[in-house]
Amino acid sequence: MSNQDVIVIGAGGGGAVIAKELGELGLTVLVLEAGPWYGNKKWPNPNLQPGGVSSSTKDDLDVTLYKQLLNKFEMNMNDLVSGRFRWGPADRNRSQWFRHANQKGVIWQCSGVGGTTQTYTANCPRAFPAAIDKVWPLSYRELVPYYEKVEATLPVNFAATTAKEELFYYGAKKAGWNLIPTLDVKGPGYRPQPNAILPPNENITNLNITDEQLSWMEGCTLAGHCINGCPHGPSIDKIAKRSTNVSYVPLALNTGNVCIRPNAFVIEIITENNPSKGLHAIGVNIRDTWTGEQEELRAEIIVMAAGSIESPRLWLNSGLPDNPWVGKGLVNHYMDWVSGIFDEKDLIPILGTSDINPYVGNTCAARFDYPGLGTLQSVGMSPGLTASFYELSQSGYSFLNKPEINDPWDIKGRLYGYELKESMDSYRKTLNILVSTDDEVDQRNGITLDPLLRDENGFVPVVSYQPTKQSRRKRGQLVNLAADLLRKAGARKVIWTNWPAGMMIHIESTMRIGFVVDQDCESFQVKRLYIADNSVHFNSLGGVNPTLTTQALATRTAEKLFKKYFNRML
Amino acid sequence: MEASGRSVTLNPYIISTFRSLVEAIIPPHLKQKDYIGTVHVAGAQELHVYEYVIWILDHSIAFPVKEQFNFVNGSMSKSTAELLDAGAARLIQKGQIFYPLNGTAYPSGGLFSALSPIDRLRAITIIERLDINLEYLSIPYKNNPVLVRNMMDVLNELPMFCHYSEWPAYGKTRLLSPEYRRVEYFPPGWFQVQYPGPSFGYRDFRGFLAIIQHRKVDQ
Ligand SMILES: Cc1cc2nc3c(=O)[nH]c(=O)nc-3n(C[C@H](O)[C@H](O)[C@H](O)COP(=O)(O)OP(=O)(O)OC[C@H]3O[C@@H](n4cnc5c(N)ncnc54)[C@H](O)[C@@H]3O)c2cc1C
Ligand code: SF4
């Protein structure tokens, strides 16, 4: 007999959502999370000591502890090797978990309750309808009620404007594009970011209230630390940026049916084969990341929500049946980075200020969408992250890439030396654009197991990705559009970094719906095994940020799973 | 234990190599100030950024994996310094250095640190193009072109992230395990770019360009 109806593996973008939905339907749910839990009294020193075992009540959440841990210092929070937001065990005395990358780039995921949404910038666009209709095994219309539910729950709103968004909109308009104030994007245009960030408190401009007081009130304070981790709000469930640890997790705990156990790495899915049920999942083996102890846990249903690398890795390490699409088809939006440096004299007439101040306001609050190509988004970050983004280049140092006369950029490639210092001296006058491509699925890309290298959790994943010809073409067009937007906004200098292919920030499509899982996200080959993370996406959604779609699907999957196994009458 | 803090190498060869690396990537410079003339802006070497690069390299591979690389006693920073020297040797061999070698700046360093700053970046370019013999590299780079290429981005990215983050301001605690580091003063990299540091909020609210009308949650 199992102690719970459902085990969810991973408390990130998708896992927390399905846990809350199932809990609300009255099922008992155990969520197993490999990483730490920040802001829970049972783990007062989450990176130093093992702390408690699990938590199942909102009373354990502690906003003071949360604010102390998420201290907004970029090295402490964002360093991929030893930061609080890294892919590794809670114990920061230990190295991160190893991944074998087959190309240049960065694999950016976080362990811990909230998963990668701890560091995400909370951009929540819906997929482009044209990327879903007649392509996915579901229609866009079928998704809409689930989008609406997630948008109302997080909630999602159009981002507030600060200087960098104003400049982005100005450039987009000057470049001849229209404002498209919609959630269902059918043609090109610019719009405020639909994001899971609470609108600014009504006192945002009231100078009788101190900044610190404001940071204890409900609503975004425009502090610009979204990517460093947002600690602003009166209580955990009212933190401004709606990572799942502050949105869906408190709601899940509220149901009284959900228990979350951090520091528990699932290393195997256990199955059974019998004539009545066929091959089906019955439980998991976990490994405590502090003690190394292993334990077997059982449930009626297992949901994998370990993310697009670990879900296929776990499938493969568990020896589940062969399927030519397990791990295959990875897309990452083949991202790129274009920056514009502005002069004071050009900024003042547009903004009324001499600086853009990229550290003010939501990290990523304005966007330009182009169905068929992808998207452009404004980005403003703390300086260390900003500087490091200039360094990742497919084309090496900028001195190797002198621009041609007709090139829309002044600098291409990795900055160095004086040029770099000059760019960083202009940090407050810089607008960055993240290019995110409508990336084409290719079965050669994806996750396999390293045949030799293992860590304590099994054979390590190998991540392989090369963009297709189509994806390259589209990215090229988007880079030109970004350079044009910056130029029209008045940029004095445009820098095209030419990111390498392996920038894994939006990782999707490695356990595709219709290939590995059915329409309801249950695996074809192993019954009672569901998936509720980015990996089930059929494609790259047209180039838009993936998480809202994962959350809409997880909401739908909860309903389908419940209907099939727990209440046929629903 | 892998990341037990404190441990950053004292090997002068490794230190010299990474000092010369970060010097080439983020040199000191003079900045024109409107009224007070020029000011000296510290480069990465002055901010000890090379120590961070070495620390990260030596703490980035988990023990069980190191074991299978046959690398338990190996040092990632040492292998990486040797990789940089391999690039330098190739650049010299091809007769492509712009400036003569200079062994005095980093007496304990190898060929890489004897190159002029711009030639160091050109040696990195040679490595990036895999114009070196991968057979002769030490583990884990030996016959590992993907890692070799990837590392050339990493070696640029790490100094940049470090220099412009709060790390240099961890002062005496900078090489401790992250839980024990304390910011001792305002980070110089932040001062250089005029980033005000962690903030509770800003008041530059300019309204909304559009508003979403939500439907009711309950179906
Ligand atoms: C800097 C950054 C900014 C981003 N911004 C945005 C954005 O604005 N909008 C957007 O839509 N997307 C954004 N993303 C991507 C977004 O974070 C992901 O789409 C989202 O988190 C994916 O959800 P997921 O459930 O697939 O995986 P994750 O959120 O990564 O969750 C997986 C969870 O499973 C746990 N886990 C893994 N393996 C195991 C195991 N074996 N046992 C137990 N637990 C396990 C992990 O620790 C993790 O907590 C951003 C990503 C980054 C890095
Ligand atoms: S700008 Fe980002 S970090 Fe600052 S309060 Fe708003 S959501 Fe939080």
Side-chain angles (χ1 to χ4, degrees):
Chain A
M1 271 307 292
S2 35
N3 296 325
Q4 51 276 319
D5 297 318
V6 180
I7 284 176
V8 176
I9 304 165
V17 173
I18 199 164
K20 174 259 185 190
E21 295 295 331
L22 293 170
E24 275 183 357
L25 288 167
L27 301 186
T28 53
V29 181
L30 173 64
V31 183
L32 299 167
E33 167 52 51
W37 194 338
Y38 297 132
N40 187 307
K41 284 178 203 152
K42 290 196 166 169
W43 293 273
N45 287 303
N47 302 116
L48 274 177
Q49 289 155 356
V53 175
S54 63
S55 167
S56 44
T57 161
K58 219 175 122 181
D59 296 339
D60 289 340
L61 302 181
D62 178 350
V63 74
T64 306
L65 176 63
Y66 195 65
K67 286 176 192 255
Q68 182 195 321
L69 293 165
L70 273 67
N71 75 353
K72 304 179 269 193
F73 281 86
E74 52 184 335
M75 177 64 74
N76 186 41
M77 299 311 300
N78 297 106
D79 184 41
L80 290 177
V81 171
S82 69
R84 288 223 158 86
F85 294 158
R86 64 167 186 168
W87 171 241
D91 181 358
R92 288 209 281 171
N93 267 323
R94 290 168 49 203
S95 303
Q96 83 270 44
W97 286 315
F98 188 82
R99 257 91 182 256
H100 184 151
N102 250 339
Q103 56 287 312
K104 265 186 165 194
V106 169
I107 302 177
W108 199 342
Q109 287 185 312
C110 312
S111 61
V113 173
T116 313
T117 72
Q118 294 176 98
T119 192
Y120 94 150
T121 50
N123 310 326
C124 290
R126 298 178 181 182
F128 294 147
I132 305 282
D133 281 330
K134 304 200 180 72
V135 183
W136 282 49
L138 310 172
S139 67
Y140 187 75
R141 265 182 82 156
E142 275 175 274
L143 278 176
V144 167
Y146 301 101
Y147 277 139
E148 286 175 346
K149 187 170 184 186
V150 179
E151 284 160 354
T153 306
L154 281 167
V156 176
N157 289 289
F158 279 136
T161 308
T162 63
K164 61 188 184 320
E165 293 77 38
E166 194 157 348
L167 189 61
F168 184 95
Y169 301 143
Y170 178 86
K173 199 171 168 192
K174 281 269 173 190
W177 304 104
N178 290 324
L179 171 68
I180 45 165
T182 176
L183 297 177
D184 307 303
V185 175
K186 300 191 174 127
Y190 66 94
R191 56 180 175 146
Q193 185 74 260
N195 68 13
I197 289 181
L198 300 180
N201 185 281
E202 57 191 11
N203 286 303
I204 188 78
T205 51
N206 178 355
L207 299 180
N208 293 323
I209 290 176
T210 66
D211 293 350
E212 184 165 4
Q213 285 170 328
L214 195 66
S215 77
W216 282 89
M217 295 177 167
E218 188 173 329
C220 173
T221 66
L222 305 176
H225 290 294
C226 318
I227 203 165
N228 314 126
C230 172
H232 298 146
S235 56
I236 293 250
D237 61 340
K238 294 277 187 326
I239 290 288
K241 187 188 83 170
R242 313 298 291 152
S243 306
T244 55
N245 53 323
V246 303
S247 55
Y248 276 89
V249 164
L251 292 171
L253 297 176
N254 259 352
T255 67
N257 292 324
V258 177
C259 174
I260 302 178
R261 179 166 171 184
N263 307 312
F265 205 111
V266 176
I267 52 174
E268 189 188 6
I269 308 256
I270 310 169
T271 55
E272 212 171 74
N273 200 347
N274 61 35
S276 61
K277 290 186 179 167
L279 182 68
H280 63 283
I282 57 164
V284 297
N285 266 321
I286 64 165
R287 184 179 179 286
D288 184 300
T289 64
W290 286 96
T291 64
E293 274 167 41
Q294 295 193 11
E295 191 179 333
E296 185 177 311
L297 297 165
R298 296 202 168 204
E300 295 297 315
I301 303 290
I302 309 294
V303 179
M304 287 205 275
S308 296
I309 298 178
E310 294 300 317
S311 284
R313 177 197 186 194
L314 183 57
W315 176 289
L316 296 166
N317 269 328
S318 305
L320 301 184
D322 286 344
N323 175 323
W325 280 96
V326 164
K328 300 301 173 58
L330 179 149
V331 285
N332 68 2
H333 287 156
Y334 189 33
M335 289 181 171
D336 209 339
W337 194 247
V338 186
S339 310
I341 295 179
F342 292 74
D343 279 336
E344 181 174 323
K345 69 170 176 22
D346 298 315
L347 291 175
I348 290 174
I350 305 168
L351 301 177
T353 48
S354 53
D355 289 314
I356 303 168
N357 291 339
Y359 51 83
V360 173
N362 305 163
T363 298
C364 211
R367 60 187 296 129
F368 166 79
D369 292 291
Y370 197 140
L373 283 185
T375 71
L376 307 178
Q377 295 171 80
S378 62
V379 185
M381 297 179 302
S382 45
L385 288 171
T386 305
S388 65
F389 279 22
Y390 282 135
E391 294 308 281
L392 300 152
S393 179
Q394 192 58 32
S395 41
Y397 291 106
S398 53
F399 62 73
L400 303 165
N401 306 284
K402 294 276 177 272
E404 308 280 323
I405 193 96
N406 289 324
D407 284 344
W409 45 82
D410 305 289
I411 300 175
K412 173 182 165 188
R414 189 193 289 140
L415 296 180
Y416 70 99
Y418 181 73
E419 195 171 58
L420 161 96
K421 293 285 269 195
E422 199 199 359
S423 301
M424 287 310 292
D425 282 346
S426 306
Y427 166 68
R428 290 178 67 155
K429 293 183 171 54
T430 305
L431 180 65
N432 300 299
I433 294 185
L434 174 71
V435 172
S436 177
T437 309
D438 173 19
D439 187 16
E440 191 183 23
V441 169
D442 181 339
Q443 201 176 2
R444 284 170 296 187
N445 293 331
I447 311 302
T448 50
L449 293 183
D450 191 298
L452 300 172
L453 286 183
R454 303 176 57 104
D455 67 7
E456 66 272 29
N457 303 313
F459 288 102
V460 303
V462 182
V463 182
S464 307
Y465 173 82
Q466 287 303 325
T468 66
K469 225 168 130 186
Q470 281 283 9
S471 298
R472 285 178 202 277
R473 180 183 60 76
K474 290 180 180 184
R475 190 177 93 160
Q477 281 174 263
L478 287 165
V479 165
N480 279 304
L481 291 175
D484 184 52
L485 188 156
L486 289 167
R487 214 45 104 185
K488 295 279 165 35
R492 163 170 60 84
K493 202 180 245 184
V494 173
I495 304 168
W496 172 34
T497 304
N498 193 15
W499 271 2
M503 298 298 288
M504 304 285 168
I505 297 176
H506 294 166
I507 320 169
E508 299 167 85
S509 247
T510 53
M511 301 289 260
R512 300 172 72 204
I513 189 167
F515 291 86
V516 178
V517 294
D518 67 15
Q519 268 210 47
D520 298 339
C521 294
E522 182 174 15
S523 119
F524 282 120
Q525 291 155 295
V526 184
K527 293 295 142 197
R528 295 171 177 265
L529 179 63
Y530 283 80
I531 305 184
D533 58 29
N534 280 8
S535 69
V536 294
H537 294 188
F538 187 90
N539 58 10
S540 69
L541 314 176
V544 306
N545 321 57
T547 314
L548 185 81
T549 300
T550 291
Q551 298 180 326
L553 278 171
T555 307
R556 180 175 179 274
T557 301
E559 207 176 283
K560 302 288 179 187
L561 175 169
F562 181 77
K563 192 167 161 191
K564 179 164 175 188
Y565 288 107
F566 295 95
N567 180 1
R568 287 164 200 285
M569 301 306 289
L570 188 84
Chain B
M1 203 59 250
E2 308 120 47
S4 50
R6 254 162 277 266
S7 59
V8 73
T9 182
L10 297 174
N11 177 325
Y13 161 68
I14 298 176
I15 293 177
S16 299
T17 307
F18 287 99
R19 282 181 74 148
S20 70
L21 171 78
V22 305
E23 184 203 12
I25 295 172
I26 314 177
H29 74 288
L30 294 174
K31 186 176 169 183
Q32 188 69 40
K33 282 267 174 206
D34 291 349
Y35 305 112
I36 54 170
T38 54
V39 288
H40 171 86
V41 182
Q45 196 184 133
E46 286 159 86
L47 302 187
H48 296 268
V49 166
Y50 53 94
E51 292 178 349
Y52 167 78
V53 178
I54 295 169
W55 192 95
I56 288 290
L57 289 173
D58 287 337
H59 291 86
S60 58
I61 302 186
F63 184 74
V65 175
K66 267 185 141 179
E67 209 170 29
Q68 295 156 71
F69 273 144
N70 282 326
F71 193 55
V72 182
N73 297 317
S75 135
M76 194 67 187
S77 58
K78 180 150 181 286
S79 304
T80 308
E82 288 165 5
L83 171 63
L84 292 172
D85 276 349
R90 183 76 183 124
L91 187 74
I92 296 165
Q93 186 193 30
K94 291 175 77 148
Q96 289 182 352
I97 50 173
F98 280 169
Y99 299 98
L101 295 177
N102 172 4
T104 55
Y106 300 98
S108 316
L111 282 179
F112 181 80
S113 52
L115 296 175
S116 68
I118 186 70
D119 282 332
R120 288 174 216 151
L121 302 182
R122 295 173 64 247
I124 289 177
T125 303
I126 283 210
I127 303 172
E128 204 158 33
R129 292 179 174 162
L130 300 178
D131 186 7
I132 49 171
N133 194 332
L134 299 177
E135 181 70 30
Y136 297 146
L137 299 175
S138 32
I139 293 174
Y141 297 111
K142 189 180 162 88
N143 294 325
N144 195 343
V146 175
L147 183 65
V148 167
R149 292 194 65 222
N150 213 349
M151 199 47 87
M152 294 307 107
D153 268 357
V154 171
L155 289 183
N156 283 277
E157 190 222 330
L158 290 177
M160 290 289 265
F161 182 45
C162 177
H163 182 98
Y164 291 105
S165 77
E166 82 275 14
W167 187 89
Y170 286 131
K172 288 191 292 296
T173 67
R174 67 185 182 275
L175 297 173
L176 300 182
S177 157
E179 285 293 304
Y180 298 101
R181 295 176 192 164
R182 295 289 172 269
V183 173
E184 293 177 348
Y185 41 86
F186 193 80
W190 289 358
F191 181 76
Q192 288 177 6
V193 301
Q194 295 174 36
Y195 171 62
S199 151
F200 287 116
Y202 295 106
R203 312 305 182 115
D204 188 23
F205 173 59
R206 299 173 181 229
F208 294 98
L209 196 61
I211 304 280
I212 297 176
Q213 301 298 336
H214 284 291
R215 295 222 193 127
K216 280 261 171 288
V217 184
D218 297 325
Q219 308 96 337

